[in-house]
């Protein structure tokens, strides 16, 4: 019986690559998204993967969304908390709205989503929770106090939840991507990319979404059952943790 995997922020960028890789590996995949209906419909048409729209910063929306996914596909056994947003500005100019939006989406969503599935995982004695953090949660980034704080919180969440569930067949791990070749990075002016970003990356190139996705597929597998509470750094050597 194919396991059910749910990916938040799953219809674009890294999330889309994760969904496709899990689907190719034989999982029944549900892709959550927040607002871009056109992109979600295109993704669904191209991949055949089911898409579900809700706001991961809302606990009630997550509860309703997970119930719908489980009614359609079965119990969620693999959860990838990938959804994230940015509201960048220097801290002395940051508004409460910018702070709360990023903290609630990038960190609060880990509680909102994982809380819906953890009891089922504990009851079945199997589960995989994989949290997509960021290099900037490890080293910090100018203009991203909110984002860096949330992504650092993702790592602490990962370690504590892993400890609580290690004896129950549930693993909890984090992945920290660096600069990945997604729409967001492609929007950076070419001269900025070539002069200010690529020189910081020892391998001399951006990472690819599929490289993150392959790591997720491995961490979701039975073969990764001894790996829990870990932070996997995938950034081309830019920051070695």
């Amino acid at each position: 019986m194919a396991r059910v995997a749910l990916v938040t922020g799953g219809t674009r960028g890294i999330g889309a690559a994760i969904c496709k890789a899990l689907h190719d590996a034989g999982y029944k995949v549900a892709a959550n998204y927040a607002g871009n209906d056109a992109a979600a419909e295109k993704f669904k048409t191209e991949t055949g993967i089911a898409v579900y729209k809700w706001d991961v910063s809302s606990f009630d929306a997550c509860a309703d969304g997970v119930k719908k996914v489980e009614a359609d596909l079965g119990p969620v056994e693999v959860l990838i908390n990938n959804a994230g947003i940015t509201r960048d500005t220097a801290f002395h100019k940051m508004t409460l709205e910018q702070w709360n939006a990023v903290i609630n989406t990038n960190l609060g969503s880990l509680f909102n989503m994982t809380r819906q599935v953890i009891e089922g995982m504990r009851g079945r004695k199997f589960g995989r929770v994989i949290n997509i953090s960021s290099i900037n949660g490890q080293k910090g980034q100018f203009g991203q106090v909110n984002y860096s704080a949330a992504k650092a919180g993702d790592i602490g969440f990962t370690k504590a939840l892993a400890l609580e569930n290690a004896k129950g067949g549930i693993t909890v791990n984090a992945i920290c991507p660096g600069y990945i070749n997604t729409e967001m990075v492609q929007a950076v002016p070419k001269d900025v990319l070539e002069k200010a970003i690529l020189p910081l990356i020892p391998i001399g190139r951006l990472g690819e979404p599929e490289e993150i996705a392959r790591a997720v597929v491995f961490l979701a597998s039975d073969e990764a059952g001894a790996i829990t509470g870990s932070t996997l750094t995938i950034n081309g050597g830019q920051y070695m943790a």
Side-chain angles (χ1 to χ4, degrees):
M1 191 86 169
R3 286 182 171 143
V4 176
L6 172 54
V7 183
T8 67
T11 60
R12 294 191 295 161
I14 291 172
I18 291 170
C19 284
K20 292 174 187 175
L22 288 167
H23 182 263
D24 290 346
Y27 291 83
K28 290 192 288 184
V29 180
N32 153 269
Y33 74 103
N36 193 325
D37 294 322
E41 214 38 57
K42 182 173 184 287
F43 173 82
K44 180 181 178 181
T45 300
E46 290 177 350
T47 65
I49 293 170
V51 299
Y52 298 84
K53 182 178 181 179
W54 74 82
D55 177 7
V56 294
S57 72
S58 164
F59 183 86
D60 291 341
C62 290
D64 291 342
V66 171
K67 284 177 184 175
K68 181 70 167 69
V69 169
E70 294 195 327
D72 290 347
L73 303 179
V76 173
E77 295 173 287
V78 177
L79 172 64
I80 294 87
N81 288 308
N82 168 72
I85 62 171
T86 57
R87 297 289 186 271
D88 295 352
T89 189
F91 184 74
H92 65 278
K93 298 178 181 178
M94 188 174 291
T95 66
L96 180 61
E97 181 183 15
Q98 290 170 320
W99 172 266
N100 284 339
V102 171
I103 295 296
N104 292 342
T105 297
N106 297 11
L107 177 57
S109 65
L110 270 63
F111 175 83
N112 296 340
M113 288 298 304
T114 311
R115 188 65 185 83
Q116 314 306 327
V117 302
I118 193 69
E119 290 186 59
M121 290 178 175
R122 288 169 66 92
R124 292 185 298 272
K125 300 293 184 185
F126 179 87
R128 297 286 187 264
V129 179
I130 302 165
N131 301 313
I132 308 302
S133 180
S134 168
I135 183 176
N136 293 338
Q138 296 174 300
K139 73 175 187 62
Q141 177 66 8
F142 186 96
Q144 286 196 330
V145 171
N146 48 5
Y147 185 85
S148 296
K151 291 300 186 178
D154 292 348
I155 296 171
F157 177 99
T158 296
K159 292 178 179 180
L161 191 66
L163 281 173
E164 290 186 8
N165 292 279
K167 291 183 179 179
I170 300 165
T171 66
V172 189
N173 293 289
I175 294 175
C176 287
Y179 282 96
I180 305 299
N181 189 22
T182 61
E183 289 177 19
M184 185 179 358
V185 175
Q186 289 165 5
V188 174
K190 185 178 179 182
D191 62 324
V192 174
L193 188 65
E194 292 180 350
K195 295 177 182 177
I197 294 175
L198 290 179
L200 300 176
I201 306 173
I203 65 170
R205 65 171 177 85
L206 301 174
E208 295 297 330
E210 292 76 16
E211 292 176 300
I212 308 300
R214 287 193 289 271
V216 169
V217 171
F218 174 66
L219 289 175
S221 70
D222 289 350
E223 289 78 8
I227 303 173
T228 195
S230 293
T231 301
L232 179 57
T233 297
I234 306 178
N235 61 36
Q238 183 181 351
Y239 183 79
M240 300 184 184

